[in-house]
Amino acid sequence: MIFDFFRRKPIFFYNTLVKSKERFRHPKRKAVRLYHCGPTVYDNAHIGNLRSYVFSDTLRRALEINGYRTEQVINITDVGHLSSDADEGEDKMTKSLARSGKTLTLDNMYALGTFYMNAFIKDLEALNILMPHFMPRASEHIAEDIELISRLEKKGFIYKTEHGVYFDTSKDKDYGKLGGIDVDVKVMHSRLQSTEKKASRDFAVWKFSKDAIGWESPWGKGYPGWHIECSVMAMHYLGKTIDIHTGGQDHIPIHHNNEIAQSESATGRTFAKIWMHNAFLTISDGKMSKSAGNFLTLDELEENGVSPLGYRMWLLQASYRSPMNLSWEALSSAEDSYTKLLNFVSALPSPHGTPDKKIVGDFIRDVNDDLNTAKAISKLWATIHDTSLAPDLKHATILEMDKVLGLKLREAREILRARASRVPADVIALAEEREEARKNKNWQHSDVLRIAIEQKGYTVEDRADGYKLQKNPQCRLF
Ligand code: AMP
Ligand code: ZN
């Protein structure tokens, strides 16, 4: 249930198109249509990729707490994304298929995509990201790609070369309106020396292929360009004009400028009203990426004692537009804060009453300020420590805030119980024995037991209310 008095607050989002925050205006009766560029499913998503979807989930939740309905698409790129974001290199899926020793067939490529798509869905669930209403696969929209390219051909926007069909950016007077072109794309393209294109910033809408990875088209056998796939899937599920389009900031110069160029040239309408981009997750101050090999998966975080929701909590402590540099200290401290939060909430009596209007109103004001989750989280802590609120009302108020934060606070007790049972029984037995030794002031034996616990990969921390066991991080990157 959404309480009416929370609804009518103004919302501001930073729109990359105009490079400033602007007021979001939308008819309440219409769903807000959101498109988020999805993963290329040739490998597991890394936690940098997942930052993008925690951001898009927060955006959806923010709109929903303000009383909007949403229609959300996260696509699955399972063909056509080359190893550079521009037109060079091999198709990432083809490369991954070859690496796994499988024959190059469309069926095998589809199966590979299904495998990593399922892994991605598992990651979304672990991060408590609401499932999008649509999760289309690029390989299932080839006929529409061909249709869109044909439309561009009729309007004179494309030309054919030996290697593919290209969009002629000189025909689009607005090309590059998202920005980023001069700095990034020209430099990148000058290195590529792609002589067959009329201009370095022209881009492939269809690539020819001689092997089994391809479909027949009026221009020859091949596969669609990555950009055309997103235009097609966005328009198929959400219509010619969508409300908000998101992605990581790396997509601004090439992918998103190209999506705009081809969509707007084909339809003559605005493709997306608002463009929002998350900043990078970095590691040792470099962008986390699969190609650099400096990435971590959610499973790896968990193996090292940082839960997916602890990671979510860490991300929410900063603006989605600020770069975040990964360190175990920062992650562990977010994990500790999350555990503390779970402990506080699980100690509260069952929620009761209407959430406190002033507290939730202030909280939503922060959220509506371009998703200022850092401030919103500090409001959550202030509420936790607010002694003037009746505990059951406090609980109800906190759960209302969690509709945006998505930290599963309604399940605090269950999460704590499940966590406790995840520590191996022999480690718990050692910790219990040590607790007993400490009660008896047998410090020598207690120290021996601490070492035994550490040898099993855990640290034990003594607290006023007992002890806390934590897995020691053993990570290949730190
Ligand atoms: P990809 O699977 O490479 O197409 O990326 C999926 C999403 O993750 C895109 O929105 C990217 O912009 C985003 N992304 C990739 N690397 C990072 C990173 N290190 N930090 C934040 N977002 C990223
Ligand atoms: Zn896209």
Side-chain angles (χ1 to χ4, degrees), residues 37-40 42 46 48-53 77 81 92 226 246-251 278-282 287-290:
C37 285
T40 307
Y42 68 105
H46 58 65
N49 301 131
L50 294 169
R51 180 177 191 193
S52 240
Y53 307 107
T77 305
H81 191 172
K92 290 185 181 186
W226 171 41
T246 75
Q249 66 178 59
D250 50 334
H251 285 351
N278 64 277
F280 290 143
L281 173 70
T282 60
K287 179 187 175 232
M288 178 174 285
S289 74
K290 286 171 208 168

PDB file of all heavy atoms in Angstrom, residues 37-40 42 46 48-53 77 81 92 226 246-251 278-282 287-290, ligand 1:
ATOM      1  N   CYS A  37      20.042  -0.755 -20.535  1.00  0.00           N
ATOM      2  CA  CYS A  37      20.885  -1.624 -21.365  1.00  0.00           C
ATOM      3  C   CYS A  37      21.329  -2.814 -20.517  1.00  0.00           C
ATOM      4  O   CYS A  37      21.898  -2.642 -19.433  1.00  0.00           O
ATOM      5  CB  CYS A  37      22.107  -0.864 -21.863  1.00  0.00           C
ATOM      6  SG  CYS A  37      21.657   0.274 -23.173  1.00  0.00           S
ATOM      7  N   GLY A  38      21.078  -3.999 -21.043  1.00  0.00           N
ATOM      8  CA  GLY A  38      21.336  -5.200 -20.255  1.00  0.00           C
ATOM      9  C   GLY A  38      22.710  -5.790 -20.506  1.00  0.00           C
ATOM     10  O   GLY A  38      23.496  -5.249 -21.288  1.00  0.00           O
ATOM     11  N   PRO A  39      22.981  -6.902 -19.865  1.00  0.00           N
ATOM     12  CA  PRO A  39      24.322  -7.491 -19.965  1.00  0.00           C
ATOM     13  C   PRO A  39      24.545  -8.232 -21.288  1.00  0.00           C
ATOM     14  O   PRO A  39      23.593  -8.724 -21.886  1.00  0.00           O
ATOM     15  CB  PRO A  39      24.314  -8.508 -18.813  1.00  0.00           C
ATOM     16  CG  PRO A  39      22.889  -8.936 -18.716  1.00  0.00           C
ATOM     17  CD  PRO A  39      22.078  -7.708 -19.028  1.00  0.00           C
ATOM     18  N   THR A  40      25.787  -8.286 -21.695  1.00  0.00           N
ATOM     19  CA  THR A  40      26.175  -9.152 -22.807  1.00  0.00           C
ATOM     20  C   THR A  40      26.518 -10.492 -22.166  1.00  0.00           C
ATOM     21  O   THR A  40      27.424 -10.574 -21.327  1.00  0.00           O
ATOM     22  CB  THR A  40      27.383  -8.544 -23.547  1.00  0.00           C
ATOM     23  OG1 THR A  40      27.042  -7.195 -23.884  1.00  0.00           O
ATOM     24  CG2 THR A  40      27.697  -9.317 -24.817  1.00  0.00           C
ATOM     25  N   TYR A  42      28.061 -13.329 -22.313  1.00  0.00           N
ATOM     26  CA  TYR A  42      29.141 -14.226 -22.734  1.00  0.00           C
ATOM     27  C   TYR A  42      29.957 -14.690 -21.532  1.00  0.00           C
ATOM     28  O   TYR A  42      30.873 -15.483 -21.648  1.00  0.00           O
ATOM     29  CB  TYR A  42      30.041 -13.543 -23.773  1.00  0.00           C
ATOM     30  CG  TYR A  42      30.868 -12.396 -23.241  1.00  0.00           C
ATOM     31  CD1 TYR A  42      32.239 -12.544 -23.005  1.00  0.00           C
ATOM     32  CD2 TYR A  42      30.284 -11.154 -22.962  1.00  0.00           C
ATOM     33  CE1 TYR A  42      33.002 -11.497 -22.526  1.00  0.00           C
ATOM     34  CE2 TYR A  42      31.033 -10.108 -22.486  1.00  0.00           C
ATOM     35  CZ  TYR A  42      32.391 -10.281 -22.266  1.00  0.00           C
ATOM     36  OH  TYR A  42      33.147  -9.241 -21.780  1.00  0.00           O
ATOM     37  N   HIS A  46      29.981  -8.933 -13.622  1.00  0.00           N
ATOM     38  CA  HIS A  46      30.817  -8.594 -12.465  1.00  0.00           C
ATOM     39  C   HIS A  46      30.084  -7.555 -11.614  1.00  0.00           C
ATOM     40  O   HIS A  46      29.046  -7.010 -12.032  1.00  0.00           O
ATOM     41  CB  HIS A  46      32.225  -8.151 -12.881  1.00  0.00           C
ATOM     42  CG  HIS A  46      32.287  -6.964 -13.803  1.00  0.00           C
ATOM     43  ND1 HIS A  46      31.872  -5.704 -13.414  1.00  0.00           N
ATOM     44  CD2 HIS A  46      32.723  -6.842 -15.083  1.00  0.00           C
ATOM     45  CE1 HIS A  46      32.064  -4.856 -14.403  1.00  0.00           C
ATOM     46  NE2 HIS A  46      32.561  -5.521 -15.448  1.00  0.00           N
ATOM     47  N   GLY A  48      30.681  -4.609 -10.988  1.00  0.00           N
ATOM     48  CA  GLY A  48      30.579  -3.286 -11.632  1.00  0.00           C
ATOM     49  C   GLY A  48      29.332  -3.243 -12.497  1.00  0.00           C
ATOM     50  O   GLY A  48      28.536  -2.301 -12.425  1.00  0.00           O
ATOM     51  N   ASN A  49      29.149  -4.276 -13.320  1.00  0.00           N
ATOM     52  CA  ASN A  49      27.921  -4.356 -14.135  1.00  0.00           C
ATOM     53  C   ASN A  49      26.702  -4.262 -13.224  1.00  0.00           C
ATOM     54  O   ASN A  49      25.735  -3.561 -13.525  1.00  0.00           O
ATOM     55  CB  ASN A  49      27.805  -5.691 -14.886  1.00  0.00           C
ATOM     56  CG  ASN A  49      28.947  -5.968 -15.834  1.00  0.00           C
ATOM     57  OD1 ASN A  49      29.532  -7.040 -15.818  1.00  0.00           O
ATOM     58  ND2 ASN A  49      29.270  -4.996 -16.655  1.00  0.00           N
ATOM     59  N   LEU A  50      26.778  -4.971 -12.100  1.00  0.00           N
ATOM     60  CA  LEU A  50      25.596  -5.055 -11.234  1.00  0.00           C
ATOM     61  C   LEU A  50      25.277  -3.713 -10.581  1.00  0.00           C
ATOM     62  O   LEU A  50      24.134  -3.444 -10.216  1.00  0.00           O
ATOM     63  CB  LEU A  50      25.776  -6.167 -10.198  1.00  0.00           C
ATOM     64  CG  LEU A  50      25.835  -7.569 -10.856  1.00  0.00           C
ATOM     65  CD1 LEU A  50      26.280  -8.627  -9.855  1.00  0.00           C
ATOM     66  CD2 LEU A  50      24.497  -7.960 -11.465  1.00  0.00           C
ATOM     67  N   ARG A  51      26.289  -2.850 -10.473  1.00  0.00           N
ATOM     68  CA  ARG A  51      26.019  -1.496  -9.956  1.00  0.00           C
ATOM     69  C   ARG A  51      24.963  -0.815 -10.834  1.00  0.00           C
ATOM     70  O   ARG A  51      24.097  -0.094 -10.345  1.00  0.00           O
ATOM     71  CB  ARG A  51      27.316  -0.663  -9.936  1.00  0.00           C
ATOM     72  CG  ARG A  51      27.069   0.723  -9.424  1.00  0.00           C
ATOM     73  CD  ARG A  51      28.287   1.601  -9.302  1.00  0.00           C
ATOM     74  NE  ARG A  51      27.893   2.796  -8.539  1.00  0.00           N
ATOM     75  CZ  ARG A  51      28.606   3.888  -8.439  1.00  0.00           C
ATOM     76  NH1 ARG A  51      29.782   3.977  -9.010  1.00  0.00           N
ATOM     77  NH2 ARG A  51      28.171   4.915  -7.736  1.00  0.00           N
ATOM     78  N   SER A  52      25.069  -1.058 -12.137  1.00  0.00           N
ATOM     79  CA  SER A  52      24.122  -0.479 -13.091  1.00  0.00           C
ATOM     80  C   SER A  52      22.677  -0.876 -12.785  1.00  0.00           C
ATOM     81  O   SER A  52      21.759  -0.078 -12.974  1.00  0.00           O
ATOM     82  CB  SER A  52      24.462  -1.027 -14.473  1.00  0.00           C
ATOM     83  OG  SER A  52      24.780  -0.033 -15.337  1.00  0.00           O
ATOM     84  N   TYR A  53      22.501  -2.119 -12.326  1.00  0.00           N
ATOM     85  CA  TYR A  53      21.131  -2.604 -12.119  1.00  0.00           C
ATOM     86  C   TYR A  53      20.616  -2.298 -10.707  1.00  0.00           C
ATOM     87  O   TYR A  53      19.407  -2.205 -10.509  1.00  0.00           O
ATOM     88  CB  TYR A  53      21.040  -4.094 -12.497  1.00  0.00           C
ATOM     89  CG  TYR A  53      21.589  -4.264 -13.893  1.00  0.00           C
ATOM     90  CD1 TYR A  53      22.824  -4.866 -14.123  1.00  0.00           C
ATOM     91  CD2 TYR A  53      20.931  -3.684 -14.978  1.00  0.00           C
ATOM     92  CE1 TYR A  53      23.368  -4.919 -15.399  1.00  0.00           C
ATOM     93  CE2 TYR A  53      21.463  -3.728 -16.252  1.00  0.00           C
ATOM     94  CZ  TYR A  53      22.685  -4.347 -16.459  1.00  0.00           C
ATOM     95  OH  TYR A  53      23.225  -4.373 -17.718  1.00  0.00           O
ATOM     96  N   THR A  77      21.768  -9.032 -24.246  1.00  0.00           N
ATOM     97  CA  THR A  77      22.525  -8.966 -25.500  1.00  0.00           C
ATOM     98  C   THR A  77      23.186 -10.320 -25.730  1.00  0.00           C
ATOM     99  O   THR A  77      24.147 -10.664 -25.044  1.00  0.00           O
ATOM    100  CB  THR A  77      23.593  -7.843 -25.422  1.00  0.00           C
ATOM    101  OG1 THR A  77      22.933  -6.627 -25.079  1.00  0.00           O
ATOM    102  CG2 THR A  77      24.323  -7.674 -26.739  1.00  0.00           C
ATOM    103  N   HIS A  81      27.516  -7.787 -29.962  1.00  0.00           N
ATOM    104  CA  HIS A  81      28.341  -6.826 -29.218  1.00  0.00           C
ATOM    105  C   HIS A  81      29.807  -7.179 -29.477  1.00  0.00           C
ATOM    106  O   HIS A  81      30.299  -8.200 -29.012  1.00  0.00           O
ATOM    107  CB  HIS A  81      28.013  -6.912 -27.716  1.00  0.00           C
ATOM    108  CG  HIS A  81      28.597  -5.810 -26.897  1.00  0.00           C
ATOM    109  ND1 HIS A  81      28.291  -5.630 -25.577  1.00  0.00           N
ATOM    110  CD2 HIS A  81      29.471  -4.819 -27.206  1.00  0.00           C
ATOM    111  CE1 HIS A  81      28.948  -4.587 -25.111  1.00  0.00           C
ATOM    112  NE2 HIS A  81      29.679  -4.093 -26.075  1.00  0.00           N
ATOM    113  N   LYS A  92      31.534 -10.810 -29.075  1.00  0.00           N
ATOM    114  CA  LYS A  92      31.913 -11.347 -27.751  1.00  0.00           C
ATOM    115  C   LYS A  92      31.344 -12.741 -27.534  1.00  0.00           C
ATOM    116  O   LYS A  92      31.985 -13.595 -26.912  1.00  0.00           O
ATOM    117  CB  LYS A  92      31.405 -10.414 -26.650  1.00  0.00           C
ATOM    118  CG  LYS A  92      32.134  -9.092 -26.598  1.00  0.00           C
ATOM    119  CD  LYS A  92      31.666  -8.257 -25.408  1.00  0.00           C
ATOM    120  CE  LYS A  92      32.382  -6.921 -25.368  1.00  0.00           C
ATOM    121  NZ  LYS A  92      32.100  -6.115 -24.214  1.00  0.00           N
ATOM    122  N   TRP A 226      25.058  -4.041 -32.259  1.00  0.00           N
ATOM    123  CA  TRP A 226      24.602  -3.988 -30.866  1.00  0.00           C
ATOM    124  C   TRP A 226      23.633  -2.816 -30.641  1.00  0.00           C
ATOM    125  O   TRP A 226      22.621  -2.935 -29.943  1.00  0.00           O
ATOM    126  CB  TRP A 226      25.861  -3.862 -30.008  1.00  0.00           C
ATOM    127  CG  TRP A 226      25.691  -3.582 -28.568  1.00  0.00           C
ATOM    128  CD1 TRP A 226      24.758  -4.125 -27.721  1.00  0.00           C
ATOM    129  CD2 TRP A 226      26.491  -2.693 -27.776  1.00  0.00           C
ATOM    130  NE1 TRP A 226      24.949  -3.645 -26.449  1.00  0.00           N
ATOM    131  CE2 TRP A 226      26.002  -2.766 -26.459  1.00  0.00           C
ATOM    132  CE3 TRP A 226      27.587  -1.871 -28.033  1.00  0.00           C
ATOM    133  CZ2 TRP A 226      26.569  -2.019 -25.418  1.00  0.00           C
ATOM    134  CZ3 TRP A 226      28.153  -1.144 -27.005  1.00  0.00           C
ATOM    135  CH2 TRP A 226      27.640  -1.224 -25.721  1.00  0.00           C
ATOM    136  N   THR A 246      18.596   4.186 -19.328  1.00  0.00           N
ATOM    137  CA  THR A 246      19.800   4.219 -18.473  1.00  0.00           C
ATOM    138  C   THR A 246      20.885   3.277 -18.979  1.00  0.00           C
ATOM    139  O   THR A 246      20.643   2.422 -19.827  1.00  0.00           O
ATOM    140  CB  THR A 246      19.483   3.805 -17.016  1.00  0.00           C
ATOM    141  OG1 THR A 246      19.309   2.385 -16.972  1.00  0.00           O
ATOM    142  CG2 THR A 246      18.258   4.495 -16.463  1.00  0.00           C
ATOM    143  N   GLY A 247      22.046   3.426 -18.370  1.00  0.00           N
ATOM    144  CA  GLY A 247      23.183   2.550 -18.648  1.00  0.00           C
ATOM    145  C   GLY A 247      24.384   3.099 -17.901  1.00  0.00           C
ATOM    146  O   GLY A 247      24.296   4.155 -17.257  1.00  0.00           O
ATOM    147  N   GLY A 248      25.503   2.393 -17.994  1.00  0.00           N
ATOM    148  CA  GLY A 248      26.727   2.894 -17.382  1.00  0.00           C
ATOM    149  C   GLY A 248      27.271   4.045 -18.230  1.00  0.00           C
ATOM    150  O   GLY A 248      26.948   4.171 -19.415  1.00  0.00           O
ATOM    151  N   GLN A 249      28.121   4.870 -17.621  1.00  0.00           N
ATOM    152  CA  GLN A 249      28.600   6.060 -18.340  1.00  0.00           C
ATOM    153  C   GLN A 249      29.453   5.720 -19.558  1.00  0.00           C
ATOM    154  O   GLN A 249      29.605   6.539 -20.470  1.00  0.00           O
ATOM    155  CB  GLN A 249      29.375   6.975 -17.396  1.00  0.00           C
ATOM    156  CG  GLN A 249      30.665   6.354 -16.891  1.00  0.00           C
ATOM    157  CD  GLN A 249      31.430   7.308 -15.984  1.00  0.00           C
ATOM    158  OE1 GLN A 249      30.912   7.740 -14.971  1.00  0.00           O
ATOM    159  NE2 GLN A 249      32.649   7.614 -16.365  1.00  0.00           N
ATOM    160  N   ASP A 250      29.991   4.494 -19.604  1.00  0.00           N
ATOM    161  CA  ASP A 250      30.781   4.089 -20.779  1.00  0.00           C
ATOM    162  C   ASP A 250      29.921   4.031 -22.038  1.00  0.00           C
ATOM    163  O   ASP A 250      30.431   4.064 -23.146  1.00  0.00           O
ATOM    164  CB  ASP A 250      31.454   2.721 -20.546  1.00  0.00           C
ATOM    165  CG  ASP A 250      30.499   1.655 -20.047  1.00  0.00           C
ATOM    166  OD1 ASP A 250      29.482   2.010 -19.415  1.00  0.00           O
ATOM    167  OD2 ASP A 250      30.759   0.465 -20.279  1.00  0.00           O
ATOM    168  N   HIS A 251      28.600   3.965 -21.859  1.00  0.00           N
ATOM    169  CA  HIS A 251      27.718   3.864 -23.027  1.00  0.00           C
ATOM    170  C   HIS A 251      27.406   5.219 -23.656  1.00  0.00           C
ATOM    171  O   HIS A 251      26.844   5.276 -24.743  1.00  0.00           O
ATOM    172  CB  HIS A 251      26.396   3.191 -22.622  1.00  0.00           C
ATOM    173  CG  HIS A 251      26.526   1.719 -22.413  1.00  0.00           C
ATOM    174  ND1 HIS A 251      27.653   1.024 -22.748  1.00  0.00           N
ATOM    175  CD2 HIS A 251      25.645   0.799 -21.935  1.00  0.00           C
ATOM    176  CE1 HIS A 251      27.478  -0.255 -22.464  1.00  0.00           C
ATOM    177  NE2 HIS A 251      26.274  -0.419 -21.963  1.00  0.00           N
ATOM    178  N   ASN A 278      25.009   5.704 -14.700  1.00  0.00           N
ATOM    179  CA  ASN A 278      25.737   5.479 -13.446  1.00  0.00           C
ATOM    180  C   ASN A 278      27.242   5.581 -13.686  1.00  0.00           C
ATOM    181  O   ASN A 278      27.735   5.258 -14.767  1.00  0.00           O
ATOM    182  CB  ASN A 278      25.393   4.111 -12.833  1.00  0.00           C
ATOM    183  CG  ASN A 278      25.822   2.943 -13.684  1.00  0.00           C
ATOM    184  OD1 ASN A 278      25.106   2.566 -14.616  1.00  0.00           O
ATOM    185  ND2 ASN A 278      26.978   2.370 -13.407  1.00  0.00           N
ATOM    186  N   ALA A 279      27.945   6.053 -12.642  1.00  0.00           N
ATOM    187  CA  ALA A 279      29.408   6.125 -12.708  1.00  0.00           C
ATOM    188  C   ALA A 279      29.984   4.729 -12.504  1.00  0.00           C
ATOM    189  O   ALA A 279      29.285   3.795 -12.111  1.00  0.00           O
ATOM    190  CB  ALA A 279      29.913   7.083 -11.640  1.00  0.00           C
ATOM    191  N   PHE A 280      31.270   4.608 -12.704  1.00  0.00           N
ATOM    192  CA  PHE A 280      31.927   3.300 -12.635  1.00  0.00           C
ATOM    193  C   PHE A 280      32.195   2.832 -11.209  1.00  0.00           C
ATOM    194  O   PHE A 280      32.413   3.642 -10.309  1.00  0.00           O
ATOM    195  CB  PHE A 280      33.289   3.349 -13.329  1.00  0.00           C
ATOM    196  CG  PHE A 280      33.198   3.478 -14.813  1.00  0.00           C
ATOM    197  CD1 PHE A 280      34.112   4.245 -15.510  1.00  0.00           C
ATOM    198  CD2 PHE A 280      32.196   2.837 -15.527  1.00  0.00           C
ATOM    199  CE1 PHE A 280      34.036   4.377 -16.880  1.00  0.00           C
ATOM    200  CE2 PHE A 280      32.112   2.952 -16.900  1.00  0.00           C
ATOM    201  CZ  PHE A 280      33.036   3.733 -17.572  1.00  0.00           C
ATOM    202  N   LEU A 281      32.245   1.528 -11.103  1.00  0.00           N
ATOM    203  CA  LEU A 281      32.876   0.916  -9.953  1.00  0.00           C
ATOM    204  C   LEU A 281      34.323   0.698 -10.385  1.00  0.00           C
ATOM    205  O   LEU A 281      34.572   0.124 -11.443  1.00  0.00           O
ATOM    206  CB  LEU A 281      32.221  -0.438  -9.645  1.00  0.00           C
ATOM    207  CG  LEU A 281      32.924  -1.232  -8.561  1.00  0.00           C
ATOM    208  CD1 LEU A 281      32.719  -0.563  -7.211  1.00  0.00           C
ATOM    209  CD2 LEU A 281      32.402  -2.655  -8.510  1.00  0.00           C
ATOM    210  N   THR A 282      35.257   1.211  -9.583  1.00  0.00           N
ATOM    211  CA  THR A 282      36.663   1.060  -9.959  1.00  0.00           C
ATOM    212  C   THR A 282      37.380   0.186  -8.934  1.00  0.00           C
ATOM    213  O   THR A 282      36.899  -0.014  -7.811  1.00  0.00           O
ATOM    214  CB  THR A 282      37.377   2.436 -10.033  1.00  0.00           C
ATOM    215  OG1 THR A 282      37.288   3.044  -8.737  1.00  0.00           O
ATOM    216  CG2 THR A 282      36.725   3.348 -11.051  1.00  0.00           C
ATOM    217  N   LYS A 287      38.778   1.221 -14.064  1.00  0.00           N
ATOM    218  CA  LYS A 287      37.424   0.704 -14.257  1.00  0.00           C
ATOM    219  C   LYS A 287      37.430  -0.812 -14.121  1.00  0.00           C
ATOM    220  O   LYS A 287      38.297  -1.489 -14.680  1.00  0.00           O
ATOM    221  CB  LYS A 287      36.929   1.076 -15.661  1.00  0.00           C
ATOM    222  CG  LYS A 287      35.529   0.539 -15.942  1.00  0.00           C
ATOM    223  CD  LYS A 287      35.132   0.761 -17.401  1.00  0.00           C
ATOM    224  CE  LYS A 287      33.796   0.101 -17.652  1.00  0.00           C
ATOM    225  NZ  LYS A 287      33.756  -0.784 -18.786  1.00  0.00           N
ATOM    226  N   MET A 288      36.481  -1.340 -13.344  1.00  0.00           N
ATOM    227  CA  MET A 288      36.371  -2.796 -13.264  1.00  0.00           C
ATOM    228  C   MET A 288      35.813  -3.280 -14.590  1.00  0.00           C
ATOM    229  O   MET A 288      34.778  -2.812 -15.050  1.00  0.00           O
ATOM    230  CB  MET A 288      35.435  -3.194 -12.123  1.00  0.00           C
ATOM    231  CG  MET A 288      35.246  -4.690 -12.037  1.00  0.00           C
ATOM    232  SD  MET A 288      34.288  -5.213 -10.587  1.00  0.00           S
ATOM    233  CE  MET A 288      35.449  -5.011  -9.271  1.00  0.00           C
ATOM    234  N   SER A 289      36.528  -4.190 -15.260  1.00  0.00           N
ATOM    235  CA  SER A 289      35.996  -4.691 -16.535  1.00  0.00           C
ATOM    236  C   SER A 289      36.480  -6.108 -16.785  1.00  0.00           C
ATOM    237  O   SER A 289      37.529  -6.519 -16.285  1.00  0.00           O
ATOM    238  CB  SER A 289      36.410  -3.775 -17.687  1.00  0.00           C
ATOM    239  OG  SER A 289      37.767  -3.952 -17.983  1.00  0.00           O
ATOM    240  N   LYS A 290      35.678  -6.813 -17.562  1.00  0.00           N
ATOM    241  CA  LYS A 290      36.024  -8.203 -17.848  1.00  0.00           C
ATOM    242  C   LYS A 290      37.322  -8.266 -18.654  1.00  0.00           C
ATOM    243  O   LYS A 290      38.179  -9.095 -18.401  1.00  0.00           O
ATOM    244  CB  LYS A 290      34.890  -8.867 -18.634  1.00  0.00           C
ATOM    245  CG  LYS A 290      33.678  -9.178 -17.785  1.00  0.00           C
ATOM    246  CD  LYS A 290      32.504  -9.633 -18.628  1.00  0.00           C
ATOM    247  CE  LYS A 290      31.209  -9.263 -17.914  1.00  0.00           C
ATOM    248  NZ  LYS A 290      30.026  -9.389 -18.747  1.00  0.00           N
TER     249      LYS A 290
HETATM  250  P1  AMP B   1      27.939  -5.055 -20.542  1.00  0.00           P
HETATM  251  O1  AMP B   1      27.588  -6.450 -20.105  1.00  0.00           O
HETATM  252  O2  AMP B   1      29.409  -4.850 -20.757  1.00  0.00           O
HETATM  253  O3  AMP B   1      27.135  -4.604 -21.735  1.00  0.00           O
HETATM  254  O4  AMP B   1      27.577  -4.065 -19.314  1.00  0.00           O
HETATM  255  C1  AMP B   1      26.364  -4.077 -18.620  1.00  0.00           C
HETATM  256  C2  AMP B   1      26.199  -2.756 -17.853  1.00  0.00           C
HETATM  257  O5  AMP B   1      27.238  -2.579 -16.889  1.00  0.00           O
HETATM  258  C3  AMP B   1      26.276  -1.521 -18.760  1.00  0.00           C
HETATM  259  O6  AMP B   1      25.277  -0.594 -18.360  1.00  0.00           O
HETATM  260  C4  AMP B   1      27.662  -0.967 -18.492  1.00  0.00           C
HETATM  261  O7  AMP B   1      27.733   0.412 -18.760  1.00  0.00           O
HETATM  262  C5  AMP B   1      27.809  -1.265 -17.006  1.00  0.00           C
HETATM  263  N1  AMP B   1      29.188  -1.335 -16.509  1.00  0.00           N
HETATM  264  C6  AMP B   1      30.235  -2.005 -17.048  1.00  0.00           C
HETATM  265  N2  AMP B   1      31.344  -1.889 -16.271  1.00  0.00           N
HETATM  266  C7  AMP B   1      30.985  -1.115 -15.201  1.00  0.00           C
HETATM  267  C8  AMP B   1      31.695  -0.637 -14.038  1.00  0.00           C
HETATM  268  N3  AMP B   1      32.965  -0.948 -13.806  1.00  0.00           N
HETATM  269  N4  AMP B   1      31.008   0.115 -13.148  1.00  0.00           N
HETATM  270  C9  AMP B   1      29.701   0.421 -13.344  1.00  0.00           C
HETATM  271  N5  AMP B   1      28.983   0.006 -14.422  1.00  0.00           N
HETATM  272  C10 AMP B   1      29.610  -0.758 -15.344  1.00  0.00           C
END
